[in-house]
């Protein structure tokens, strides 16, 4: 059987992100900016104007974060996939480890940021507040209360060493919610866990407005969490 083309492989990945170790992201290929015509990822537009999350996330930070940082991960992902194709074609594993690392880092970066932007909403358009429905019940069951969950989420994110993320995830084997830390864009994620809510704690996510006060940024972030979207992801992950 001939090797599946890299573009087919990438398309399959976009359709079922489980190949990236991020099962059940509930993100469509379209949401990830997959362009069938060119066979590459593109930077998905923000789901709101760049100033819409003010005053919690400032416009300049959002513009740079999306237009420069997130765009860099998209570029790096496309490049890593192309380079891995070349590695296969040449049957030369000399740089295989390097490009596998690049794939993991940049694909993680692209997926994480897509989840991040869509996981927020302006505070007057659905951002903040509390989840409802089955997600609210599950949080109560697994953490005792919404406030306890939020405390752990913020404390976990605040104490990530260096650059990384805090996540609320659905762990499908034990069928429970967990809070995890992620270093960089990919390290420490539980295999098979579905990411529901993520907060970026790289300094580029908050330094312009909050300087070194990561905890203040995390408090502000809670005012723009799009719980309706997080609940949609939860429902999709449990199905
Ligand atoms: Mn970031």
């Amino acid at each position: 059987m001939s090797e599946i083309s890299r573009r087919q492989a990438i398309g399959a990945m976009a359709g079922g992100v489980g190949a990236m170790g991020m099962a059940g992201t509930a993100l469509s290929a379209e949401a990830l900016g997959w362009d069938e015509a060119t066979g590459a990822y593109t930077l998905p537009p923000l789901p709101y104007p760049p100033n819409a999350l003010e005053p919690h996330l400032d416009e300049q930070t959002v513009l740079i974060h999306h237009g420069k940082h997130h765009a860099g991960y998209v570029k790096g992902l496309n490049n890593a996939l192309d380079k891995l194709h070349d590695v296969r074609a040449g049957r030369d594993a000399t740089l295989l480890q390097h490009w596998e690392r690049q794939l993991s880092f940049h694909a993680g970066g692209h997926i994480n940021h897509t989840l991040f932007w869509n996981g927020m909403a302006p505070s007057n358009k659905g951002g903040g507040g509390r989840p409802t429905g089955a997600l609210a019940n599950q949080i109560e069951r697994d953490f005792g209360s919404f406030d306890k969950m939020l405390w752990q989420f913020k404390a976990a994110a605040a104490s990530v060493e260096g650059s990384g993320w805090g996540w609320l995830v659905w762990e499908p084997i034990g069928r429970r919610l967990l809070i995890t830390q992620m270093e960089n864009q990919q390290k420490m994620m539980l295999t098979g866990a579905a990411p529901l809510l993520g907060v970026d704690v790289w300094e580029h996510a908050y330094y312009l407005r909050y300087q070194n006060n990561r905890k203040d940024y995390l408090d502000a972030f809670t005012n723009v969490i799009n719980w309706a979207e997080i609940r949609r992801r939860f429902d999709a992950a449990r199905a």
Side-chain angles (χ1 to χ4, degrees):
M1 196 176 76
S2 65
E3 183 192 17
I4 186 171
S5 84
R6 75 180 186 282
R7 293 316 187 190
Q8 285 172 329
I10 301 165
M13 183 187 94
V17 184
M20 294 284 95
M22 297 280 278
T25 56
L27 285 177
S28 66
E30 184 186 4
L32 282 167
W34 170 246
D35 185 340
E36 194 70 44
T38 61
Y41 287 94
T42 60
L43 178 66
L46 286 169
Y48 32 69
N51 64 353
L53 303 177
E54 293 267 10
H56 311 292
L57 271 70
D58 64 284
E59 179 176 16
Q60 190 184 13
T61 295
V62 170
L63 278 171
I64 296 171
H65 195 177
H66 177 257
K68 302 294 182 187
H69 293 281
H70 187 173
Y73 298 119
V74 173
K75 188 177 175 188
L77 169 58
N78 288 326
N79 188 45
L81 288 163
D82 283 344
K83 290 297 196 304
L84 283 165
H85 173 262
D86 296 345
V87 165
R88 285 192 299 276
R91 292 286 194 274
D92 179 358
T94 310
L95 291 176
L96 179 63
Q97 185 189 56
H98 169 74
W99 291 115
E100 295 287 6
R101 286 177 184 274
Q102 290 288 298
L103 174 67
S104 180
F105 177 77
H106 289 288
H110 178 35
I111 294 165
N112 296 340
H113 285 84
T114 304
L115 288 166
F116 180 61
W117 301 124
N118 290 302
M120 294 186 286
S123 51
N124 62 351
K125 290 184 179 170
R130 290 165 177 248
T132 55
L135 175 57
N137 296 336
Q138 191 75 39
I139 287 172
E140 190 93 11
R141 198 199 80 166
D142 293 338
F143 297 95
S145 70
F146 175 77
D147 289 338
K148 286 180 183 171
M149 182 282 293
L150 202 58
W151 174 84
Q152 186 181 343
F153 179 81
K154 290 195 288 183
S159 58
V160 171
E161 285 186 327
S163 299
W165 295 74
W167 289 100
L168 173 69
V169 305
W170 172 248
E171 193 281 285
I173 312 297
R175 297 189 68 76
R176 61 178 300 168
L177 296 166
L178 293 173
I179 283 165
T180 64
Q181 294 181 324
M182 174 186 276
E183 293 176 358
N184 291 342
Q185 300 293 355
Q186 79 281 37
K187 299 176 182 176
M188 295 169 65
M189 196 67 187
L190 303 181
T191 300
L196 303 179
L197 171 67
V199 63
D200 189 341
V201 293
W202 285 57
E203 285 183 348
H204 67 226
Y206 61 87
Y207 212 83
L208 290 179
R209 173 151 294 179
Y210 297 98
Q211 288 82 50
N212 59 317
N213 299 309
R214 189 189 281 185
K215 286 179 181 171
D216 291 349
Y217 158 70
L218 289 167
D219 286 337
F221 173 76
T222 63
N223 294 310
V224 291
I225 297 173
N226 182 352
W227 283 111
E229 168 63 12
I230 308 311
R231 182 181 164 186
R232 186 190 72 79
R233 294 172 188 171
F234 173 69
D235 291 341
R238 279 197 321 158

